[in-house]
Amino acid sequence: MSIAEQTWELRLYIAGKTPKSVSALNNLNKYCEEHLQGKYKIEIIDLLLHPQLAEGDQIFAVPTLVRKVPVPIRKIIGDLSNEEKVLVGLNIIPIKTT
């Protein structure tokens, strides 16, 4: 199965409804709808409710986005406001070379 046909599994770690957490979720939803229509799943993990889940993906800061599938696992920390950085970081679009 090619990456284009795969369902992307993304996990967003947040800590409550902070402005950064809300912004990260809104940005992630927007990027996924624009670039991965119908080919993604987003799991939201609130570490205020489930702090024990931070250990599994080695989460040290929030918000943190983890791409579980396709492998390899990738992580992006922050509110995801820089669209190009997020898309390149998740390998949704290739790195631009000059």
Side-chain angles (χ1 to χ4, degrees):
M1 182 184 308
S2 76
I3 286 182
E5 299 167 346
Q6 230 169 357
T7 297
W8 292 61
E9 293 181 22
L10 306 170
R11 189 175 287 168
L12 181 62
Y13 288 89
I14 60 171
K17 300 277 187 217
T18 65
K20 275 194 169 187
S21 294
V22 171
S23 179
L25 180 56
N26 290 339
N27 289 329
L28 180 59
N29 280 323
K30 183 178 101 171
Y31 305 152
C32 287
E33 274 305 303
E34 288 176 8
H35 300 279
L36 300 173
Q37 272 185 334
K39 298 182 197 157
Y40 68 95
K41 294 178 190 166
I42 300 173
E43 180 181 5
I44 310 298
I45 297 179
D46 188 336
L47 294 178
L48 293 180
L49 303 174
H50 307 284
Q52 72 280 9
L53 296 178
E55 192 175 335
D57 280 322
Q58 298 177 338
I59 303 303
F60 301 107
V62 286
T64 295
L65 175 62
V66 178
R67 183 186 80 182
K68 303 294 275 184
V69 174
V71 292
I73 291 173
R74 292 181 174 228
K75 295 180 188 175
I76 299 174
I77 298 170
D79 66 3
L80 311 179
S81 59
N82 183 329
E83 181 173 6
E84 185 175 4
K85 181 180 170 188
V86 173
L87 296 178
V88 169
L90 292 177
N91 204 26
I92 293 172
I93 60 169
I95 298 170
K96 289 182 184 172
T97 56
T98 52

